[in-house]
């Protein structure tokens, strides 16, 4: 109960901060009204299309002569909006029936959610009081402090100094400083320092004419695996998750008449999106690798590899299902690592041709134009 009360107070405070900032700004009020447009139906708007809930809360803030009075009025308004039949609050005696008015209650709750979602506001971001921040804001500000903190104050440097490695700590602090990182990026682009970065994979991809063919092909193969990992597996999972999560939410509210859980919807979306790709792998790729047909129609190959894979740990075995996107990405990352390691070995054998520019002449053109001919 204390946790619920604390969260309620935090949201009320944040709503008050937004409404109080916009109460004398017609343009800001219009923006709030338009931002709630998709979440509030026509029957719950005034003649000027202002949501009734927003209008009532804004009136409470404008009429209050203090912060405490405004908060109390807003709490009563929200309670009235969520419990009374009339959304305007004119008939205080008629209450919604929780058993027969599930759809109406859910609709009103979504109106409040549409309003509380408008928490990205400069008045909140500029206030350092913890009550105006949610968990995401706290995490973001925590990372900002880590990046803005002096390198010599970081935990790694402190640990190195504690064990007596002062010179290593100073060097680590220098390499973590923004000035050093900017200098490093500038040196990477400077031809005079190209020899210091010739082993870089990015350098091999950007300046392939300076390396041997085996080195270039192996590096490109590793880069191809990386692109597949991020642009297909990870992106496919994310893009397919969103519509499934949206559909899950609509089914939850439309058919089951219960509030939609964003966490549950996206969990369902992640599961089904990973499962979709898993079906493709099991019915096509794995079947082709283990037999001579597509799906389960081909003969079973003579192999000890079974699905799902099992990792023995003492007396038990841990099943590794390919339905996991992380497992899929790991399968692709392993050959990428092998290709990149082989590319480094090939580089040592073939060598680096030096910091030379690509030739502008077509030395390997099949048909050369002979002199004197047009």
């Amino acid at each position: 109960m204390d946790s619920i009360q604390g969260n309620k107070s935090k949201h009320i405070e944040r709503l008050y901060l937004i409404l109080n900032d916009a109460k004398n700004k017609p343009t800001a009020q219009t923006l709030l009204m338009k931002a709630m447009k998709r979440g509030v139906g026509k029957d719950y708007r005034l003649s000027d299309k202002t949501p009734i809930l927003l209008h009532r809360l804004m009136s409470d803030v404008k009429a209050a002569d203090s912060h405490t009075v405004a908060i109390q009025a807003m709490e009563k308004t929200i309670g009235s909006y969520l419990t009374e039949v009339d959304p305007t609050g004119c008939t205080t005696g008629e209450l919604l029936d929780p058993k027969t008015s599930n759809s109406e209650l859910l609709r009103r709750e979504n109106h409040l959610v549409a309003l509380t979602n408008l928490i990205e506001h400069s008045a909140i971001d500029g206030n350092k009081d913890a009550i105006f921040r949610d968990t995401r804001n706290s995490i973001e500000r925590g990372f900002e402090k880590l990046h803005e903190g002096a390198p010599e104050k970081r935990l790694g440097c402190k640990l190195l100094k504690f064990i007596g490695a002062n010179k290593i700590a100073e060097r680590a602090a220098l390499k973590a400083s923004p000035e050093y990182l900017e200098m490093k990026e500038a040196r990477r682009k400077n031809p005079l320092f190209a020899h210091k970065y010739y082993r870089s994979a990015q350098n091999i991809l950007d300046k392939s004419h300076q390396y041997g063919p085996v080195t270039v092909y192996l590096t490109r193969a590793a880069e191809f695996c990386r692109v597949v990992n991020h642009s297909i597996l990870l992106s496919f999972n994310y893009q397919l998750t969103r519509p499934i999560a949206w559909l899950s939410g609509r089914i939850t509210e439309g058919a089951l008449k219960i509030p939609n859980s964003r966490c549950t919807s996206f969990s369902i979306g992640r599961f089904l999106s990973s499962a979709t790709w898993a079906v493709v792998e099991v019915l096509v790729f794995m079947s082709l690798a283990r037999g001579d047909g597509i799906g389960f129609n081909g003969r079973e190959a003579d192999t000890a590899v079974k699905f799902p894979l099992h990792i023995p740990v003492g007396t038990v075995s841990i099943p590794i299902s390919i339905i996991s996107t992380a497992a899929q990405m790991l399968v692709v990352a392993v050959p990428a690592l092998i290709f990149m390691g082989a590319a480094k070995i090939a580089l040592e054998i073939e060598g680096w041709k030096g910091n030379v520019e690509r030739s502008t002449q077509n030395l390997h053109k099949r048909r050369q134009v002979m002199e004197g001919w047009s």
Side-chain angles (χ1 to χ4, degrees), residues 245-263:
W246 178 87
L247 180 61
S248 174
R250 302 292 77 76
I251 293 175
T252 300
E253 294 190 347
L256 304 179
K257 304 298 182 183
I258 59 177
N260 173 40
S261 170
R262 178 180 175 88
C263 180

Side-chain angles (χ1 to χ4, degrees), residues 220-289:
R220 287 176 176 174
E223 179 66 10
F224 173 77
C225 293
R226 188 193 68 82
V227 171
V228 168
N229 242 344
H230 289 82
S231 301
I232 297 180
L233 292 179
L234 192 60
S235 179
F236 177 86
N237 182 281
Y238 174 75
Q239 297 299 336
L240 189 59
T241 293
R242 296 183 65 87
I244 295 176
W246 178 87
L247 180 61
S248 174
R250 302 292 77 76
I251 293 175
T252 300
E253 294 190 347
L256 304 179
K257 304 298 182 183
I258 59 177
N260 173 40
S261 170
R262 178 180 175 88
C263 180
T264 302
S265 296
F266 270 85
S267 295
I268 295 172
R270 292 290 186 192
F271 172 79
L272 292 179
S273 60
S274 296
T276 302
W277 187 251
V279 168
V280 176
E281 289 179 328
V282 172
L283 297 184
V284 180
F285 302 138
M286 292 189 66
S287 63
L288 290 175

Side-chain angles (χ1 to χ4, degrees), residues 358-368:
R358 189 185 299 275
S359 174
T360 57
Q361 299 178 0
N362 297 325
L363 300 179
H364 303 289
K365 190 173 181 180
R366 292 185 177 181
R367 296 183 180 181
Q368 296 283 359

